[in-house]
Amino acid sequence: MSGILRELLCVSEKAANIARACRQQEALFQLLIEEKKEGEKNKKFAVDFKTLADVLVQEVIKQNMENKFPGLGKKIFGEESNEFTNDLGEKIIIRLCPTEEETVDLLNKVLNGNKLASEALAKVVHQDVVFSDPALDAIEINIPQDTLGVWVDPIDSTYQYIKGSADIKSNQGIFPSGLQCVTILIGVYDIQTGVPLMGVINQPFVSQDLNTLRWKGHCYWGLSYMGTNIHSFLPPVSTRNSSETQSQVTPNPSSEAECSHPFSAVISTSEKETVKAALSRVCGERIFRAAGAGYKSLCVVLGLVDIYIFSEDTTFKWDSCAAHAILRAMGGGMVDLKECLERNPNSGLDLPQLVYHVGNRGAAGVDQWANKGGLIAYRSKKQLEAFLSRLLRHLAPVDAHT
């Protein structure tokens, strides 16, 4: 139902406030830095503060949704455990308490008595957030709640979040690294079919006020259900490079270079050399490197690139579900790369879309939820087919020599 999506937008914004608070409030930021020092004692508990931020975000999302939609909380899944052991050996379950004072007391135990940090964080956790979008407010769709499952990645690109770089320059609107690559991902799927239905991508760090050093973010959403496809209007990401970003969202007519290399792609810095070599033949210079699976998917959603391709098996259902739902609402999708490369294009079979309701057979732990065959995110099926046709021509001879 669209009411669930409205609430997910609100909790994603609350999550973004928590992520920003951990970077902006001195007490929290100093704790963050302290906990990352090498050789520090008492690292046994949750001294890796990024994990506390991750878990807090995840628990706030779970418990807010459970409060509004009873029964949904137990169907929200993510990668984080909410159990910590402090330096006194006490096991503490992180949860959103009924009152701010109780949350302060709980966080104080986890943070070894750092009352200032506990109070600052609890205040943000308990702040009410109102988030509305006229496009979503105008429709009412009823989706049976008992058919829904939810994947959450509370803070995607955690390394960039901890590093905290705020001065990275974009390349044609795409950031290779930095806080702009951090996203909060919430994807809703059908538990019977595994098809993604609703997605929210919150980008907490989009533009920074140079006087106050405070960040503003942006939130994107999509819903695709029973023939209804709606999504946020995707304005320019921010005013930071408005002319540059706008030109990317609305591509210019094909130039001579674009005719020979009609596609653009965003990839991971860890992408295989064989894939990079083939891509260079397909995309020429229009290959961009960026951190964070969520952010790379967002680059496709925003139209900054045509394709996000990743050949490794190190993204997971919580990394892809949100963007996949938004792309479906826009007429695109997210497919299994390995299956695409093995597929006979003349078979008439549908493209192998990623699904979210079953784990990988024989796998244990987080690996059971890995996107084992890699992935391709795309905005247009016709464009994807043309891209795959070119990629296959160039991959075959490259792979033959490896």
Side-chain angles (χ1 to χ4, degrees):
M1 64 186 76
S2 49
I4 287 179
L5 182 52
R6 285 191 193 96
E7 190 61 26
L8 287 175
L9 287 165
C10 288
V11 296
S12 83
E13 191 57 26
K14 181 178 277 197
N17 287 341
I18 293 169
R20 284 188 287 261
C22 293
R23 293 296 327 176
Q24 288 167 182
Q25 297 192 30
E26 191 64 22
L28 297 177
F29 183 65
Q30 288 305 315
L31 181 64
L32 175 73
I33 298 301
E34 286 168 19
E35 304 306 347
K36 296 304 291 184
K37 285 179 183 172
E38 289 294 327
E40 184 169 289
K41 292 180 182 178
N42 299 326
K43 280 198 159 186
K44 184 179 173 184
F45 86 114
V47 289
D48 189 355
F49 188 69
K50 71 176 185 200
T51 307
L52 178 57
D54 277 334
V55 173
L56 264 178
V57 165
Q58 187 166 295
E59 291 307 303
V60 163
I61 291 170
K62 274 187 181 181
Q63 291 178 46
N64 272 262
M65 294 308 293
E66 176 64 24
N67 291 344
K68 290 286 178 76
F69 302 97
L72 189 60
K74 66 178 182 291
K75 294 157 76 177
I76 297 176
F77 308 103
E79 60 179 317
E80 306 298 340
S81 164
N82 65 342
E83 184 180 283
F84 291 97
T85 304
N86 69 10
D87 63 350
L88 299 176
E90 299 170 318
K91 284 193 175 178
I92 299 158
I93 302 297
I94 294 295
R95 58 190 175 84
L96 180 59
C97 300
T99 68
E100 187 174 325
E101 291 74 20
E102 289 172 280
T103 299
V104 170
D105 291 341
L106 180 68
L107 292 174
N108 210 31
K109 290 179 184 176
V110 176
L111 300 176
N112 289 329
N114 191 319
K115 190 87 182 290
L116 198 58
S118 302
E119 288 173 346
L121 197 46
K123 183 179 180 181
V124 179
V125 164
H126 283 272
Q127 270 177 348
D128 285 330
V129 172
V130 177
F131 191 104
S132 64
D133 188 311
L136 186 57
D137 294 340
I139 64 125
E140 191 62 51
I141 296 178
N142 291 314
I143 305 174
Q145 184 181 315
D146 59 1
T147 67
L148 304 180
V150 185
W151 283 114
V152 172
D153 191 339
I155 298 179
D156 187 58
S157 200
T158 313
Y159 176 74
Q160 299 301 327
Y161 176 64
I162 292 299
K163 198 173 176 186
S165 300
D167 56 354
I168 306 295
K169 302 297 180 193
S170 70
N171 180 5
Q172 297 185 51
I174 298 170
F175 288 84
S177 59
L179 281 170
Q180 287 88 349
C181 297
V182 174
T183 52
I184 293 160
L185 309 171
I186 309 173
V188 180
Y189 63 95
D190 185 311
I191 59 174
Q192 299 298 323
T193 64
V195 171
L197 304 176
M198 294 181 268
V200 174
I201 300 178
N202 197 308
Q203 191 182 13
F205 305 96
V206 172
S207 59
Q208 189 179 33
D209 185 311
L210 297 180
N211 294 317
T212 64
L213 299 183
R214 292 195 170 273
W215 286 89
K216 288 184 178 178
H218 203 104
C219 194
Y220 305 91
W221 58 267
L223 183 153
S224 179
Y225 180 71
M226 299 286 283
T228 296
N229 293 289
I230 59 168
H231 54 86
S232 50
F233 291 119
L234 307 180
V237 179
S238 75
T239 56
R240 64 178 183 270
N241 284 316
S242 57
S243 61
E244 181 181 67
T245 305
Q246 184 62 49
S247 70
Q248 289 300 303
V249 173
T250 310
N252 294 322
S254 294
S255 65
E256 192 174 324
E258 289 171 334
C259 288
S260 57
H261 298 295
F263 303 104
S264 58
V266 63
I267 64 171
S268 168
T269 51
S270 63
E271 186 53 83
K272 291 175 183 172
E273 290 302 322
T274 52
V275 175
K276 287 195 283 189
L279 274 177
S280 69
R281 293 174 172 87
V282 176
C283 301
E285 297 298 312
R286 303 175 73 204
I287 301 171
F288 303 87
R289 287 162 180 77
Y295 178 68
K296 286 189 279 285
S297 300
L298 179 59
C299 288
V300 180
V301 169
L302 292 172
L304 297 171
V305 290
D306 303 314
I307 297 288
Y308 160 37
I309 182 169
F310 188 53
S311 64
E312 303 286 346
D313 61 356
T314 51
T315 66
F316 300 87
K317 300 305 179 190
W318 48 80
D319 292 313
S320 56
C321 189
H324 192 169
I326 298 172
L327 287 166
R328 275 191 80 230
M330 300 172 73
M334 205 174 286
V335 291
D336 183 295
L337 172 61
K338 186 170 184 287
E339 287 186 32
C340 281
L341 297 179
E342 293 172 350
R343 165 179 166 267
N344 181 346
N346 301 316
S347 66
L349 295 173
D350 287 337
L351 291 161
Q353 296 288 325
L354 298 184
V355 291
Y356 296 89
H357 61 318
V358 291
N360 298 308
R361 237 178 286 167
V366 296
D367 281 344
Q368 66 183 309
W369 301 114
N371 296 315
K372 282 304 222 184
L375 59 83
I376 305 179
Y378 63 96
R379 286 165 61 91
S380 154
K381 183 179 177 182
K382 185 177 178 182
Q383 193 175 46
L384 175 65
E385 294 278 18
F387 172 80
L388 282 170
S389 175
R390 285 202 179 205
L391 184 69
L392 277 164
R393 287 204 302 270
H394 294 299
L395 261 181
V398 172
D399 285 345
H401 293 95
T402 58

